[in-house]
Amino acid sequence: MMDISVQSASAPPQPQIHSIQNQKISNSTSRGYMILLTINYVCLFLGSVSASLLSKFYFNHKGNSRWVSTWVQSAGFPLLLFPVYLPYYLFKCTHRRPFSGFTPKLFVLSVAIGFLLAVNNLLFSWGNSYLPVSTSSLLLSSQLAFNLILSVIIVKTKITFQNLNCVVLLTLSSVLLALGSSHDKPEGLTRAKYFVGFFCTVGAGLLFALYLPVMEMIYKKVYCYSMVVEMQVVMEVAATVLATAGMGADGGFEEMRKESIHVFDLGEGAYWWTVVLNVVTWQLCFMGTAGMVYLTTSVTGGICMTALLSMNVLGGVLVYGDAFGGVKAVSTLLCLWGFCSYVYGMYVKMKKEKELDATEVNGGHDPMMGMTQIAAGRV
């Protein structure tokens, strides 16, 4: 774990804030920061693509429970206890005790956001069960534009050519992806179900677009990556409690048992393996998202997730033999163009930060002036 000195999350003294912010900026150009950033994006990449493929596998073999789809998105929280407790109790590589510095305010915020995630997961599952893949992809892509707008309002993100260009290209990519998959309409989709799926998917996109900048704002009061993982544990526990209560009240567990025995056409063993793997991959996805927001910005996290929509399509082509026509090819190229241009812009920005830090050390410039210049160019 990459630990940064922990202070009270409520109201640390002003000089300590400057010290912590300077240390974060220094970490952003360090090798450890890049390793942690790479690990989180790999988790996001593997989790997002694998969860997409496994969800399609589940529905392809006659699984159709919205409650199961909701529950698996958060039920893997025990997996996060390993990176929380092992570094302190087994590896002895940190002096910080798990959940130390975790204030009541931070706990309440984590629980509230966990409930928000549970609602988001349920809306996503309902929308996904009713809408064709094309419409769902199109509606979910709109969250990136909402994310940028809400990031400007909530965390005062500066709109630059880099992030605006990337948002436009990735949104166009998703629109083309939807148009190229317009034949994916499920059988028996009524007008009423279509509108339920439509509004549920829009709601899920808006909630997630709100979730990212809110988390970035909260992470400004979190002083080490370990606390990010601990917050994720609390959020996932809260989301799982709400999802479990809903399943119990609506007969979701009995539905899961019947589905495993009588509905899933590959048998009970394959059904439970599919559920377990879904649980694991969704945790990778959400933990990767949280890490990306903490280590970069909410806009960067949203861009990385939207860019993976095209990767999910490629995964379907490679694993399930889905058709890959010209429209999907153009969509993929637009996605790669937008994402690579954004990553290159981040690389140039970080290189300038490193050079500026070196100039300050060698020339004796005021470090707070350098920090102000860096903050002004934040993507």
Side-chain angles (χ1 to χ4, degrees), residues 119-121 123-124 140 143 199-209:
V119 174
N120 178 80
N121 295 342
L123 290 174
F124 174 79
L140 287 175
Q143 68 89 16
F199 287 113
C200 283
T201 304
V202 170
L206 286 172
L207 279 179
F208 202 77

Side-chain angles (χ1 to χ4, degrees), residues 135-154:
T135 307
S136 179
S137 298
L138 176 59
L139 294 175
L140 287 175
S141 68
S142 64
Q143 68 89 16
L144 186 56
F146 290 127
N147 178 22
L148 181 59
I149 294 170
L150 291 173
S151 294
V152 171
I153 296 172
I154 296 173

Side-chain angles (χ1 to χ4, degrees), residues 163-185:
N163 54 35
L164 186 59
N165 174 64
C166 186
V167 166
V168 171
L169 288 174
L170 288 180
T171 302
L172 285 174
S173 171
S174 300
V175 170
L176 285 175
L177 175 62
L179 294 175
S181 306
S182 57
H183 59 281
D184 294 336
K185 182 178 179 179

Side-chain angles (χ1 to χ4, degrees), residues 14-323:
Q14 196 68 16
Q16 292 178 354
I17 292 177
H18 294 328
S19 175
I20 292 167
Q21 288 175 332
N22 279 327
Q23 191 170 0
K24 275 191 174 184
I25 292 169
S26 176
N27 284 336
S28 71
T29 55
S30 69
R31 183 180 178 186
Y33 169 87
M34 292 306 300
I35 292 174
L36 194 56
L37 185 64
T38 302
I39 290 173
N40 276 273
Y41 190 70
V42 169
C43 287
L44 175 59
F45 180 88
L46 293 177
S48 176
V49 175
S50 300
S52 173
L53 293 175
L54 284 168
S55 295
K56 184 167 184 176
F57 181 83
Y58 169 76
F59 287 112
N60 280 353
H61 294 283
K62 299 184 180 180
N64 59 6
S65 172
R66 291 184 290 272
W67 278 117
V68 171
S69 181
T70 301
W71 187 76
V72 298
Q73 293 181 57
S74 59
F77 67 87
L79 297 173
L80 298 179
L81 297 176
F82 292 103
V84 168
Y85 286 101
L86 291 184
Y88 180 80
Y89 288 104
L90 183 63
F91 301 132
K92 309 292 184 182
C93 59
T94 178
H95 298 293
R96 180 184 174 276
R97 292 179 64 88
F99 292 96
S100 60
F102 211 84
T103 64
K105 180 180 179 181
L106 198 59
F107 176 78
V108 171
L109 285 172
S110 299
V111 171
I113 294 171
F115 289 154
L116 177 72
L117 277 178
V119 174
N120 178 80
N121 295 342
L122 181 61
L123 290 174
F124 174 79
S125 299
W126 274 68
N128 206 34
S129 66
Y130 284 141
L131 291 183
V133 174
S134 56
T135 307
S136 179
S137 298
L138 176 59
L139 294 175
L140 287 175
S141 68
S142 64
Q143 68 89 16
L144 186 56
F146 290 127
N147 178 22
L148 181 59
I149 294 170
L150 291 173
S151 294
V152 171
I153 296 172
I154 296 173
V155 291
K156 310 304 180 185
T157 297
K158 182 180 178 181
I159 296 181
T160 65
F161 174 77
Q162 280 176 254
N163 54 35
L164 186 59
N165 174 64
C166 186
V167 166
V168 171
L169 288 174
L170 288 180
T171 302
L172 285 174
S173 171
S174 300
V175 170
L176 285 175
L177 175 62
L179 294 175
S181 306
S182 57
H183 59 281
D184 294 336
K185 182 178 179 179
E187 295 181 6
L189 180 65
T190 65
R191 187 179 182 85
K193 289 182 178 180
Y194 177 86
F195 279 111
V196 170
F198 180 92
F199 287 113
C200 283
T201 304
V202 170
L206 286 172
L207 279 179
F208 202 77
L210 174 65
Y211 161 79
L212 293 175
V214 166
M215 290 310 301
E216 181 182 353
M217 182 176 62
I218 295 174
Y219 286 157
K220 289 181 178 180
K221 298 182 179 181
V222 170
Y223 308 128
C224 66
Y225 182 79
S226 302
M227 291 185 73
V228 174
V229 184
E230 292 161 3
M231 282 187 65
Q232 196 67 21
V233 171
V234 176
M235 287 189 290
E236 297 293 349
V237 169
T240 303
V241 167
L242 197 60
T244 303
M247 284 188 74
D250 199 37
F253 289 106
E254 180 63 21
E255 182 184 16
M256 181 187 287
R257 188 188 67 82
K258 290 180 179 179
E259 188 175 70
S260 67
I261 299 173
H262 303 296
V263 179
F264 201 70
D265 60 12
L266 293 181
E268 191 174 359
Y271 178 86
W272 290 113
W273 272 111
T274 303
V275 170
V276 169
L277 291 175
N278 259 296
V279 165
V280 173
T281 54
W282 274 112
Q283 281 307 302
L284 285 174
C285 182
F286 281 126
M287 192 60 244
T289 303
M292 290 298 294
V293 172
Y294 173 73
L295 295 168
T296 57
T297 66
S298 56
V299 173
T300 301
I303 284 172
C304 290
M305 290 198 68
T306 306
L308 290 175
L309 282 175
S310 290
M311 297 303 103
N312 292 341
V313 172
L314 289 178
V317 172
L318 295 174
V319 176
Y320 297 112
D322 293 348

